[in-house]
Every structure is written in structure tokens, then in C-alpha cells.
Amino acid sequence: MKSVADIFTIVAVCAGSFFFLAGTVGLLRFPDSLTRLHALTKADNLGLGLVVLGLLPQANGFLGGLKLVAVWLLVQLAGATVAQVIAEALRRRGPPP
Amino acid sequence: MTIIEALDIGLAFLVLGVAGWTIAAHEAFTAVIGYVVYGLLLALVWVRLFALDVALTEAAIGSGVTGVLLISAAVRLRASEAEMMHERLGIAPRLVAAALCLVAAAALAAVVLDMPDPGATLAPQARQPLAELGLGNAITAVLIAYRAFDTMLEKVVLVLAVIGVWSLSTDANWGGLAGPTRLERTEGPLAFLAQLLPPLGIIVALHIVWVGANEPGGAFQGGALLSAMALIVLMARLREAPAIGRRWLRVALISGPVVFLAIGLLGFALAGGFLAYPLGFAKPVIVFIEVFMTLSVAATLPMLVIGPPDRRPS
Amino acid sequence: MNAATLAGLSGAALIGLGLYGVLTHPHPLRKLLSFNVLGSGVFLMFGIIARKGAAAGLAADPVPQALVITGIVIAFSATALAVALLLRLFAVDRSATLRPDATIERNDRSDA
Amino acid sequence: MTSLLVWSLAVPIGGALLAFVVGGRRVHWFALATLPIGLAIAIAIAAALSRSSGPLLYLIGGWSPPLGVALRADWLSAIMMVITAVVICGIAAFACGDFISPRPAEARRPFAFWILLLALWSALNLVFLSGDLFTLYVALELLVFSAVPLVCLDGRAETLRAALRYLLFALLGSVLYLVGTGLLYGACGTLDIDLLAACLRPEPVTLVAASLMTAGLLAKTALFPLYLWLPAAHAGAPPAASAVLSALVVKGSFFVAVRLWFFVMPALPGEAATQVMSALAAAAIVFASLLALRQDRLKLLVAYSTLAQIGYIFLMFALAFDEGSGRMVQGSALVGGMMQAISHATAKAGMFMAAGMIYASLGHDRISELGGIARAAPLAALTFLLAGLALIGPPSSGVYLAKTLLLRAADNTGQWWWAGVLQVGGVLTSAYLILVVAHALAPMRRAPTPGHAAIPRLQQAAALALVLCSLVLGLVPWQPWLPLPVAMSGHGPLGLAALWSMLWPILIGVPVAYLLGRRGNRRPWRVALWLEDADRLLRQWPTAGASLVAVAVALAAAMFFGR
């Protein structure tokens, strides 16, 4: 039983890391701010989500799991807001030359 | 080399790389962003050094609140950077400076390698009275019992910093609302966040303060979180910052050091000495002090970030 | 090499980097940033001393760790005071330079 | 009785916090109410110390070191606390003329000044009493945080710039001090001064720590060549603030340096490092005194005089080194240095106040246009003159006693060169005073700017009282507190030799002032121009910063190889 949970953790965290990696590559390689933002939010969203999902079986009881999920939700909230604010600032500055 | 060691080395290089980037960046704004990232990476290093309390403080204050302060400063100072480009040093003075700094860093590195392991420690002495104090977190015990005096003084430093910042206002603006002149209130995602997050943040902050007696956490970390909530509300312009003459604000600002000092002086009468806690009541007294310290940290940090009043009092 | 020594060496390197920034950057805000890097390097030195003092079932000596917490708060207050000074200077003078004779030169220029 | 140590900190801190929360236009009441209590506590501590056999000790919270923090009052703390209390009282009396809110509402300048004055006082008391290196760090930070805003209370660009330079350089100094603190903890597992003294051995860690801490403290004290922040900050602040900064604040970090070298690690530095310290001090005396001759504003001249005086108080380091035991000894050299520090504190506070009053009555402080000041503000001019005399050291003054002790120490240790520096310094001090007096005696060039109110009596009295205090410090019976050589107690204050020792520097000072002093549009000597260039270079940030690291490296090298 333990090993199944461990394998699940490894697979999920690895998948999450892959999304982070992809997001970072996007951040570095994409041409303008809006597309970079797009790459970044995907990484936050799915990458962290998978990492949290993978860590859930390892969590310290129900409360520990709840904390992990709370972390994910808070990062979602903060990431979405920051993305909106940055996009808003970009729009105000006008289209890229 | 184990995988943990490889990760440690990777982390160290990452920290140094981002720090170097912060120092070398062309624009101040870029450098500040680098610094915020650096602060978060540093928090990871602190976790690796088994210093969770420090990691929390570094992430919240060293990276978070300092980041907000520096980002807004970098934006407001953008116009000053071009003028100062011609003050940049030539290559020769830079080399001299680099050589001197290299000598200093090398001496310190040699000292680090020379340090005995295990080294000198107060851990056994710090651990022994924990049960008597009713605490589980030795760092909290150091901060609020063994070296309570330093902590109290450091709260006074915070108040002095507020006075110093306020004193940079003008005579005409004295007594006005704290902080720079703001635009009208905005709607949108930030306002939404500023309405949604604070209740949650307050609960988490209280939790951090409460568990601080036994686990990582405490007044600094909780207070920093509360002040972050206040800053979000101020940044979204849901609320104006208070006028600096408001009594409740001043009471909140000094509540930490005053309660600390008062309890310390009460110790003369009740526990046989300054900052001595009465036998058997140490835990409630410590929690009482922590509550007020949290309050004053939560009031002080936003005041320091938003700066002196910039408008005439109405 | 263990994590503590590695962190200590990083601390020494950060102190060198920060010191270099404080010495060479002309802009006060950059000096302040470098000062914060320097400060965090110093705190890391405390961190490894704490870690090497692990004993009595504690993973690290709590005393240096507590000192670091106090130090971080003081460093923040110092940064806030310096930023306020800098913003005020820029508001009054439209210049953030730290050169000692800057104001006098400007007065001379406006006199002439 | 030892709880007095706590009260000496709690009273000014409590006063400052209360003043902050109550606010309003009567902030100064809290300060003025606190002053006599604080003074009484300082005197009571000195009295208790004279009856006790050793230092007074207070363990905070009952936690004994190494875990806890101790307060300790020894003879150094006691005399510094009393003098600080006296000077603060004098400055507060002076400030009543400048820092009372004119409006019925709370005003910015008085609010900041009075609270910061109290905070600064508590910080100094903490510096004098703390028995723990980290508490000393917090005390130094308290000192900086209360001193920096005082520099720029008037909000002009140049004072803001001076304050920022001061803050940044002081922070750099603090951080160097902090690294050393950490390293010493790593070596001994304690930060308590007595426990460290028993534990420290000369090994790489402790020597690196010692040199970094010392360099940091020198930066905060503005010893040559680390003085970039001082002239502008001290000369630009309002007079009462200048007086506090020059008389007291620099003594705080100086005191920590003394604690470190004489009490924490007397056996660590070794002979070469003490010579490095005294060489910097000698350079400060000569260089800053010569530059004082080149200033065209009175307050700047006084600020450069402070730089030279900082040199005087650091000169004792080489003289206090005992070759036989290889340790710093707490003998007549240390007493001489401390005596110099307290005499300078009282005299310089009075001098800055006098300069402020002269500025107020003339509307400027250009030295070349001081003519007629003796008629426009006679008491201020007299105070300035007496303060200058107090720095030269007539036989009853504290400076005279200090010089005698230092010369004796130089004689005992066979280091005649430092004695020579002392004498040269006396000549140069006389020279820049003569320069001021010569200009002041000239006839008035133009009528003083009208509209300047008369100087309040209280201000004149406060400044004069402090200067007189410095002039009689040599007559105080110091025996119960200071380890004075017995022969010193009955030195003939009015002997012919003593008078001559004061007169000859003045006589030589006249031609020096004539040759090197700034006089009208006359083309200066080339040496003077070189000096001014060097001064400009040293006040540039990169030079000063590099000097700071270089001083640290030089001290470390001296400690490693010079033992």
C-alpha cells in the first residue's frame, strides 16, 4: 500500500516539475510579456497542482493535507491576480512596438 | 554525492547567481525583482539549515515586505537613474574594490572552513528551562525570555524608524494621512483579492502567532503576515491609510514595546526582577506579550512601507 | 562538505558581492539593495554557527537563530528609513546623487 | 541598588514612548520631566559605584550569561553616564529656544526632536551599560536610528543627502560589527563580555572577527579616513542636534571600541594593531586640524575640529598597550582617553551651540565675515572662545588632565612620537581658533541682517554652563572612580609650567594660522590645496568604502603578523 502511494507521489511530482520546467522555458523564450505571462500561469496552475496532488498521500494527517490544498488555492488566487494586474499595466502602456 | 547534496549545491549556485544578477543588473527595477527572488531562495537555504522560524521571517519580511518597499521606491526613482549613469566608476576603481571585497570574502570563507564541527553552542542550556516556561519552541524562549531585553529594544527600534520616516514629512503636511497621495479607488482583480484575502490572512496569522510557542512561528512572522494584509488593502485603495496623529494608530504602534516594558517593570514587584516572569504563569504572560508585539509589528511595517504623510491634514 | 559549510561559503561569497555593490554602485537604491544582500550573507554566517551548534536534541542552536530574526527586523527598519530619506531627497532635489558637493554645485550653476 | 541600571534605561525609553503616544504641542514636557530623573539616576549609579568594591551587575530576567543578558556598570560607564546626562540636560535647555511648537497643534520638528533626544539618551546609556555584544549591536542601531533624522530636521536637500550618507555608512559599519559578533559566538558560545574575555584565544576566527568589528566601529565613529559622512551631517543639522551628534553620538561607537579592545579581547590585538589605530588617530589629528583651517564656514570648522578630537580619543590605543604582558591595560592612557572624550563632549556641545547662536545673530556663519560678532552677540562669542580654550586645555580643564595622562603614558612606554603628535595637535587647535578670533576681532563689514530675534538667555546660559563644565573637569576629585596615578591628584593647577604648556602652542599657532588659514582671496599655499583635494577625495563614497575594507584588512594583517 505504501509503495503505491510513493509511486503515485513520484509520478505526480515529476509531472508537476515538468510543467514548471515548461513554464520556465516559456518565460525565457517567448517573445513578449503577454505570452510569457501565459506560460507562467500555466506552470503555476498545473505544475503546483500536480506537486500538491502528489504530496497529498505523504501529508501529515487530514489537517496537513488541508494545508497543502490551501497553499495551492492561495497561489492560484495570488497568481491570477498578479497576472491580471500585469496584463492591465501592459494594456495601459499600449501595444508593443 | 547524494541527491540531497547535489540539490544543496544547486541551490547555493542559484542563490549566488541571483544575488550576482541583483548586483549587476542594469536597471534598479530589475535588480529589485532579482532581490525578491533571492529572498525566497534564501528562505529555502534557511530551511536546509533547520531554521524554520528564520525561513518564515526571511520570506515574510526579508523578501516580502522589503520587496514591496523597494519595488515602489524603484518605480518612483526611475527618473533619477539616467542622471547617475555618468557617475559610474571606471574599470580601475572597480578592480580595486573587487580585489578588496575578494580579500574580505576569502578571509571569511577560510574562517568558515576552519570552524570546528560541532562548534560552541548554548542549545543544552536553552533547552533545559523550556518546560518550566511552558514553551516548546526554543527560539521563542530565546526571544521572549532569555534575551527578552534585546527583543524589547528592537521593538523600540521599529518605533524610532516610524518616527524617523514621519519626520521626513513637511511641516505643512504634519498630521496628514500617511503615505503618498493616492489615486481614486480601483475596481478589478486587486480589489477583489484585497477583499477576499484579509480574513483568511488574519486567521493564518493568528494561527502562526499561537503555535509560535511550540512550533516555528511567532509574533514577528504573524505580525508580518498581518501587515501584508494591511498593505494589500492599501494598495488596492480599499481604505486610506490613517492620519499619523490618530490616537489608535499611535497606541497600536507602541503597544508591543510598552506592554513589554510594563511587564518587565512589573517583574520587579511580582517576580523579583526586571523581565522576570512569575513562576507558573510564564506561558500566559509570554502569550500576552506576543499578542501585543504582533499588533505593533502589524501596525509598524505598513507605516514604514507607505512612508511619511504627503498631504495636508484635512 | 555538508549543507552548513556550503551555506557558510555562500554567506562569505554573498558578503563579498554585497560589499562590492555597496562600494561601487553610485545610486543609493542600488547601494541599499547591495546592503541587504550583504546583510543576508552575514545572517547566513549566523545560520551555520547555529547549525554547527546542534546539540541536546535540537537540530540547531536556537540563540544565533533568534539573533538573526532580530537582525532581519532591524535591517528592514533601516531599509525603510533609508528609502524614505532617498525619496524625500529626490522629491526636494530632483536628484538622488550622494556626491558631497552636489548641492553646492547646483547652487553655483543657478547663481551663474 | 543595581536595579538602578534598569531604570536608567526604562525612564528615557518610557518617556519617549509616552511622548509619542500623547503627542500634541507639549511633547517637550515629557522630555523635560524625564531629564532630572535620568540625571539623578546617573548620579546615584556613580555614587553606588564609588561605595561598591566591583562593577554593579544586573541579570535581566534572572537569566545569567551565557544564556541571559547582563547589565554592568563600571567606572567607565559611570562617568560616561553622568557626563551624558549633564550634556543632554544642557542641550535640552538650549533646545527649549528652538524646538517648542509655535502652534497650538503638534508640530513636526519638536515632535521628532524631543522623542529622538530621549531615545538617543537611552541608546547611549545602553551602550555604556550593556554587558553583551549583541545588545551592544542593538544599542548602536538605536543610536543611529535616533541620530539620523536629527541631521535633516530642516529638510534641505544638502542635509537630507548628509543624513543618507550617514545612515548608509553607519549601516555598513553595523553589518561589519555584526559579522564579528557572530564569529565570536561561534568561537566561544557566548556573547557576554566577561565570559568572552576568559575564552578568546588568538586564532584566525577571533582575529578576523576583531578586525571586522573594529573597522565597523571606526566607520561609525568617523575616525580618519572613514569620515565621509561627518562634516556635512554635523555642520548641517540644527545647532542643538549638532551638539548632540558631535558631543555624544560619536562617543557611543567609540565606547564600544574601548569595551571591545580593553575588556573583551585585551590580549588579542597585539602591538602592531595598536600602532595602526594610533597612526589613524594621529593622521586624524593633523589632517582634520589643518582642514579646519581651510573652512570658510564656522560650523564646518567646528565639525572638522570634532574629527581631530576623535583622533585625540583614539590616540591612547598604542599608549595603553603593555609590551610585557602583550595586553591592553586599563591604566593612565585609558583614563586619559576617556577624560579627553568627556572634556570634548562638554566643550564641543557648547561650541556648536555658540556657533548656532552666532549664526542666528548674524544670519550666516562665514568666518571671513565674522567681524563685529563680539558686539552683536558678546556672550555667544565668549562661549565660543572659552570652548576653544577648553579644547586647547588650560590647567584646570579636563583636556589638560587628559593630556598630562597621555603624555605620561607615552613617556612610560617610551613612545615619544605619539607625544609629539599630541603637541602638534595642540598647536593646530590653537591655530584654527586664532583664525576665528582674528576674523571676529575685525571691524564689522556690514550691518547684520535685520529681523533676527535676540538670542534667548536660556540658550546662552546652557552653552556657557557646558563649556565651564569642561573647563573645570580637571579639578574634580576623580579618585573614587578612576584608576588615577596618585601623583595626579595634587597637580598644581596654576603653576608656571602649566601655564607655559598652554601658552606656547598658542604662540606657535599664530604663524601657522597666518600661513595655512583661509584668508580672503589670497592665493593659498600649495600644501593647503593638496589637503583640500585629499579631503574631497576621501569624502567620495567609493574611496571611503574602499578605505573601510582596507582598514579592516590592515588591522587583520597587523593582528596576524604583528604579534
Short mmCIF file of all heavy atoms in Angstrom, two decimals, chain D residues 289-331:
data_model
loop_
_atom_site.label_atom_id
_atom_site.label_comp_id
_atom_site.label_asym_id
_atom_site.label_seq_id
_atom_site.Cartn_x
_atom_site.Cartn_y
_atom_site.Cartn_z
N SER D 289 42.76 68.90 11.64
CA SER D 289 43.03 70.24 12.17
C SER D 289 43.45 71.17 11.05
O SER D 289 43.02 72.33 11.00
CB SER D 289 44.15 70.18 13.21
OG SER D 289 43.80 69.32 14.25
N LEU D 290 44.30 70.68 10.13
CA LEU D 290 44.72 71.52 9.01
C LEU D 290 43.51 71.88 8.15
O LEU D 290 43.38 73.01 7.69
CB LEU D 290 45.76 70.78 8.17
CG LEU D 290 47.14 70.69 8.81
CD1 LEU D 290 48.07 69.82 7.97
CD2 LEU D 290 47.76 72.08 8.97
N LEU D 291 42.60 70.90 7.96
CA LEU D 291 41.44 71.20 7.14
C LEU D 291 40.52 72.19 7.82
O LEU D 291 39.85 72.98 7.16
CB LEU D 291 40.69 69.92 6.81
CG LEU D 291 41.26 69.25 5.59
CD1 LEU D 291 40.72 67.85 5.46
CD2 LEU D 291 40.92 70.05 4.34
N ALA D 292 40.47 72.12 9.16
CA ALA D 292 39.65 73.10 9.88
C ALA D 292 40.12 74.51 9.54
O ALA D 292 39.31 75.43 9.42
CB ALA D 292 39.75 72.85 11.39
N LEU D 293 41.43 74.66 9.33
CA LEU D 293 41.97 75.97 8.96
C LEU D 293 41.48 76.42 7.59
O LEU D 293 41.53 77.60 7.26
CB LEU D 293 43.50 75.91 8.93
CG LEU D 293 44.22 75.93 10.27
CD1 LEU D 293 45.67 75.58 10.08
CD2 LEU D 293 44.09 77.31 10.88
N ARG D 294 41.06 75.49 6.75
CA ARG D 294 40.71 75.80 5.38
C ARG D 294 39.22 76.01 5.18
O ARG D 294 38.77 76.18 4.06
CB ARG D 294 41.17 74.67 4.43
CG ARG D 294 42.63 74.34 4.48
CD ARG D 294 43.50 75.49 4.04
NE ARG D 294 43.04 76.08 2.79
CZ ARG D 294 43.32 77.31 2.40
NH1 ARG D 294 44.05 78.08 3.16
NH2 ARG D 294 42.89 77.77 1.25
N GLN D 295 38.42 75.91 6.24
CA GLN D 295 36.96 76.04 6.07
C GLN D 295 36.57 77.50 6.00
O GLN D 295 37.20 78.36 6.61
CB GLN D 295 36.23 75.36 7.22
CG GLN D 295 36.54 73.88 7.35
CD GLN D 295 36.34 73.14 6.06
OE1 GLN D 295 35.34 73.31 5.37
NE2 GLN D 295 37.31 72.32 5.70
N ASP D 296 35.49 77.76 5.25
CA ASP D 296 35.01 79.14 5.24
C ASP D 296 33.73 79.31 6.04
O ASP D 296 33.23 80.40 6.16
CB ASP D 296 34.80 79.64 3.80
CG ASP D 296 33.82 78.78 3.03
OD1 ASP D 296 33.47 77.70 3.55
OD2 ASP D 296 33.42 79.18 1.92
N ARG D 297 33.21 78.18 6.60
CA ARG D 297 32.03 78.33 7.45
C ARG D 297 32.35 77.82 8.85
O ARG D 297 33.00 76.80 9.03
CB ARG D 297 30.85 77.57 6.86
CG ARG D 297 30.25 78.28 5.64
CD ARG D 297 29.02 77.55 5.19
NE ARG D 297 28.25 77.15 6.36
CZ ARG D 297 27.61 75.99 6.47
NH1 ARG D 297 27.63 75.14 5.48
NH2 ARG D 297 26.94 75.70 7.56
N LEU D 298 31.83 78.56 9.83
CA LEU D 298 32.17 78.28 11.22
C LEU D 298 31.73 76.87 11.63
O LEU D 298 32.49 76.14 12.27
CB LEU D 298 31.50 79.33 12.11
CG LEU D 298 31.95 79.35 13.56
CD1 LEU D 298 33.44 79.61 13.65
CD2 LEU D 298 31.19 80.41 14.35
N LYS D 299 30.49 76.48 11.23
CA LYS D 299 30.02 75.17 11.67
C LYS D 299 30.85 74.05 11.05
O LYS D 299 31.06 73.02 11.67
CB LYS D 299 28.53 75.00 11.32
CG LYS D 299 27.63 75.83 12.22
CD LYS D 299 26.18 75.46 12.05
CE LYS D 299 25.83 74.25 12.91
NZ LYS D 299 24.41 73.90 12.80
N LEU D 300 31.33 74.28 9.82
CA LEU D 300 32.19 73.26 9.21
C LEU D 300 33.52 73.19 9.94
O LEU D 300 34.08 72.11 10.15
CB LEU D 300 32.42 73.58 7.73
CG LEU D 300 31.40 72.98 6.78
CD1 LEU D 300 31.62 73.50 5.37
CD2 LEU D 300 31.50 71.46 6.79
N LEU D 301 34.03 74.36 10.34
CA LEU D 301 35.28 74.36 11.11
C LEU D 301 35.10 73.55 12.39
O LEU D 301 35.95 72.73 12.76
CB LEU D 301 35.67 75.81 11.44
CG LEU D 301 36.95 76.01 12.24
CD1 LEU D 301 37.70 77.22 11.72
CD2 LEU D 301 36.70 76.17 13.73
N VAL D 302 33.97 73.76 13.05
CA VAL D 302 33.73 73.02 14.30
C VAL D 302 33.62 71.52 14.01
O VAL D 302 34.11 70.69 14.77
CB VAL D 302 32.46 73.55 15.00
CG1 VAL D 302 32.24 72.82 16.30
CG2 VAL D 302 32.57 75.04 15.25
N ALA D 303 32.99 71.18 12.87
CA ALA D 303 32.85 69.76 12.53
C ALA D 303 34.23 69.14 12.29
O ALA D 303 34.51 68.03 12.76
CB ALA D 303 31.97 69.61 11.30
N TYR D 304 35.10 69.84 11.56
CA TYR D 304 36.44 69.30 11.34
C TYR D 304 37.22 69.23 12.64
O TYR D 304 38.03 68.33 12.85
CB TYR D 304 37.19 70.11 10.28
CG TYR D 304 36.88 69.64 8.89
CD1 TYR D 304 35.88 70.25 8.15
CD2 TYR D 304 37.54 68.55 8.35
CE1 TYR D 304 35.56 69.78 6.88
CE2 TYR D 304 37.22 68.08 7.09
CZ TYR D 304 36.24 68.70 6.36
OH TYR D 304 35.92 68.22 5.12
N SER D 305 36.95 70.18 13.54
CA SER D 305 37.59 70.11 14.86
C SER D 305 37.14 68.83 15.58
O SER D 305 37.95 68.17 16.24
CB SER D 305 37.21 71.36 15.65
OG SER D 305 37.20 71.09 17.01
N THR D 306 35.86 68.46 15.41
CA THR D 306 35.40 67.20 16.00
C THR D 306 36.19 66.02 15.45
O THR D 306 36.60 65.12 16.19
CB THR D 306 33.90 67.00 15.72
OG1 THR D 306 33.18 68.04 16.36
CG2 THR D 306 33.42 65.66 16.23
N LEU D 307 36.43 66.04 14.13
CA LEU D 307 37.21 64.95 13.53
C LEU D 307 38.59 64.85 14.17
O LEU D 307 39.07 63.76 14.48
CB LEU D 307 37.39 65.21 12.03
CG LEU D 307 36.21 64.90 11.15
CD1 LEU D 307 36.55 65.22 9.71
CD2 LEU D 307 35.86 63.44 11.28
N ALA D 308 39.22 66.00 14.38
CA ALA D 308 40.54 65.99 15.00
C ALA D 308 40.46 65.46 16.43
O ALA D 308 41.31 64.69 16.88
CB ALA D 308 41.11 67.41 15.00
N GLN D 309 39.39 65.85 17.13
CA GLN D 309 39.24 65.41 18.52
C GLN D 309 38.97 63.91 18.60
O GLN D 309 39.39 63.25 19.55
CB GLN D 309 38.10 66.18 19.20
CG GLN D 309 38.38 67.67 19.33
CD GLN D 309 39.43 67.93 20.38
OE1 GLN D 309 39.51 67.22 21.37
NE2 GLN D 309 40.27 68.94 20.16
N ILE D 310 38.29 63.37 17.59
CA ILE D 310 38.10 61.92 17.56
C ILE D 310 39.47 61.25 17.47
O ILE D 310 39.72 60.22 18.08
CB ILE D 310 37.20 61.53 16.37
CG1 ILE D 310 35.78 62.00 16.63
CG2 ILE D 310 37.20 60.03 16.13
CD1 ILE D 310 34.87 61.91 15.43
N GLY D 311 40.37 61.88 16.72
CA GLY D 311 41.73 61.38 16.68
C GLY D 311 42.36 61.36 18.07
O GLY D 311 42.98 60.38 18.47
N TYR D 312 42.16 62.46 18.83
CA TYR D 312 42.73 62.51 20.17
C TYR D 312 42.27 61.35 21.04
O TYR D 312 43.06 60.76 21.78
CB TYR D 312 42.30 63.80 20.88
CG TYR D 312 43.22 64.96 20.66
CD1 TYR D 312 42.87 66.03 19.87
CD2 TYR D 312 44.47 64.97 21.27
CE1 TYR D 312 43.71 67.09 19.68
CE2 TYR D 312 45.32 66.03 21.09
CZ TYR D 312 44.94 67.10 20.29
OH TYR D 312 45.79 68.13 20.11
N ILE D 313 40.95 61.03 20.96
CA ILE D 313 40.48 59.99 21.88
C ILE D 313 40.94 58.60 21.44
O ILE D 313 40.98 57.69 22.26
CB ILE D 313 38.95 60.04 22.09
CG1 ILE D 313 38.21 59.86 20.78
CG2 ILE D 313 38.54 61.33 22.74
CD1 ILE D 313 36.71 59.87 20.94
N PHE D 314 41.31 58.46 20.16
CA PHE D 314 41.80 57.14 19.73
C PHE D 314 43.31 56.99 19.87
O PHE D 314 43.85 55.91 19.69
CB PHE D 314 41.40 56.87 18.27
CG PHE D 314 40.04 56.27 18.13
CD1 PHE D 314 38.96 57.03 17.75
CD2 PHE D 314 39.85 54.92 18.40
CE1 PHE D 314 37.70 56.46 17.62
CE2 PHE D 314 38.59 54.35 18.28
CZ PHE D 314 37.52 55.12 17.89
N LEU D 315 43.98 58.10 20.20
CA LEU D 315 45.44 58.04 20.25
C LEU D 315 45.93 57.12 21.38
O LEU D 315 47.03 56.58 21.33
CB LEU D 315 46.00 59.46 20.46
CG LEU D 315 47.47 59.63 20.14
CD1 LEU D 315 47.71 59.39 18.68
CD2 LEU D 315 47.94 61.03 20.52
N MET D 316 45.07 56.93 22.38
CA MET D 316 45.52 56.19 23.57
C MET D 316 45.76 54.70 23.29
O MET D 316 46.37 54.03 24.12
CB MET D 316 44.45 56.32 24.63
CG MET D 316 43.15 55.75 24.18
SD MET D 316 42.21 55.22 25.55
CE MET D 316 40.63 54.92 24.84
N PHE D 317 45.27 54.18 22.14
CA PHE D 317 45.34 52.73 21.98
C PHE D 317 46.77 52.21 22.04
O PHE D 317 47.03 51.18 22.68
CB PHE D 317 44.63 52.31 20.69
CG PHE D 317 43.15 52.19 20.86
CD1 PHE D 317 42.35 53.31 20.88
CD2 PHE D 317 42.56 50.96 21.03
CE1 PHE D 317 40.98 53.21 21.06
CE2 PHE D 317 41.19 50.83 21.22
CZ PHE D 317 40.40 51.96 21.23
N ALA D 318 47.69 52.90 21.38
CA ALA D 318 49.08 52.43 21.43
C ALA D 318 49.68 52.65 22.80
O ALA D 318 50.51 51.87 23.26
CB ALA D 318 49.90 53.14 20.37
N LEU D 319 49.23 53.73 23.46
CA LEU D 319 49.83 54.07 24.76
C LEU D 319 49.36 53.11 25.85
O LEU D 319 50.01 52.98 26.88
CB LEU D 319 49.46 55.51 25.14
CG LEU D 319 49.88 56.55 24.10
CD1 LEU D 319 49.40 57.93 24.52
CD2 LEU D 319 51.38 56.55 23.93
N ALA D 320 48.22 52.47 25.63
CA ALA D 320 47.67 51.59 26.66
C ALA D 320 48.17 50.15 26.50
O ALA D 320 47.77 49.28 27.26
CB ALA D 320 46.15 51.61 26.63
N PHE D 321 49.02 49.92 25.50
CA PHE D 321 49.48 48.56 25.27
C PHE D 321 50.70 48.27 26.14
O PHE D 321 51.66 49.04 26.17
CB PHE D 321 49.84 48.37 23.80
CG PHE D 321 50.25 46.97 23.47
CD1 PHE D 321 49.31 45.97 23.40
CD2 PHE D 321 51.58 46.67 23.25
CE1 PHE D 321 49.68 44.67 23.10
CE2 PHE D 321 51.96 45.37 22.95
CZ PHE D 321 51.01 44.37 22.88
N ASP D 322 50.62 47.17 26.87
CA ASP D 322 51.74 46.80 27.75
C ASP D 322 52.55 45.71 27.06
O ASP D 322 52.07 44.61 26.82
CB ASP D 322 51.19 46.31 29.09
CG ASP D 322 52.33 45.83 29.98
OD1 ASP D 322 53.34 46.55 30.04
OD2 ASP D 322 52.19 44.76 30.59
N GLU D 323 53.81 46.07 26.75
CA GLU D 323 54.63 45.16 25.98
C GLU D 323 54.92 43.87 26.75
O GLU D 323 54.96 42.79 26.18
CB GLU D 323 55.93 45.85 25.61
CG GLU D 323 56.32 45.66 24.17
CD GLU D 323 57.46 46.59 23.80
OE1 GLU D 323 57.36 47.80 24.07
OE2 GLU D 323 58.46 46.09 23.28
N GLY D 324 55.09 44.00 28.05
CA GLY D 324 55.46 42.84 28.86
C GLY D 324 54.43 41.75 28.79
O GLY D 324 54.73 40.59 28.46
N SER D 325 53.16 42.10 29.05
CA SER D 325 52.12 41.08 29.08
C SER D 325 51.47 40.90 27.72
O SER D 325 50.72 39.94 27.52
CB SER D 325 51.06 41.47 30.11
OG SER D 325 50.48 42.71 29.76
N GLY D 326 51.72 41.82 26.78
CA GLY D 326 51.08 41.73 25.48
C GLY D 326 49.60 42.03 25.53
O GLY D 326 48.85 41.59 24.68
N ARG D 327 49.15 42.77 26.52
CA ARG D 327 47.71 43.06 26.66
C ARG D 327 47.46 44.56 26.71
O ARG D 327 48.37 45.34 26.97
CB ARG D 327 47.19 42.46 27.97
CG ARG D 327 47.29 40.96 28.07
CD ARG D 327 47.08 40.53 29.50
NE ARG D 327 45.74 40.83 29.97
CZ ARG D 327 44.72 39.99 29.85
NH1 ARG D 327 44.88 38.82 29.28
NH2 ARG D 327 43.53 40.31 30.30
N MET D 328 46.22 44.93 26.46
CA MET D 328 45.81 46.31 26.70
C MET D 328 45.60 46.46 28.20
O MET D 328 44.93 45.64 28.82
CB MET D 328 44.48 46.61 25.99
CG MET D 328 44.41 46.23 24.54
SD MET D 328 45.47 47.20 23.49
CE MET D 328 44.72 48.82 23.62
N VAL D 329 46.17 47.49 28.81
CA VAL D 329 45.99 47.66 30.25
C VAL D 329 45.10 48.87 30.52
O VAL D 329 45.14 49.87 29.81
CB VAL D 329 47.34 47.83 30.98
CG1 VAL D 329 48.09 46.53 31.00
CG2 VAL D 329 48.16 48.92 30.34
N GLN D 330 44.29 48.72 31.59
CA GLN D 330 43.39 49.81 31.95
C GLN D 330 44.10 50.76 32.89
O GLN D 330 43.82 50.79 34.08
CB GLN D 330 42.12 49.25 32.56
CG GLN D 330 41.37 48.34 31.60
CD GLN D 330 40.34 47.49 32.30
OE1 GLN D 330 39.83 47.86 33.35
NE2 GLN D 330 40.02 46.36 31.72
N GLY D 331 45.04 51.52 32.33
CA GLY D 331 45.84 52.41 33.17
C GLY D 331 45.63 53.86 32.79
O GLY D 331 44.57 54.24 32.34
#
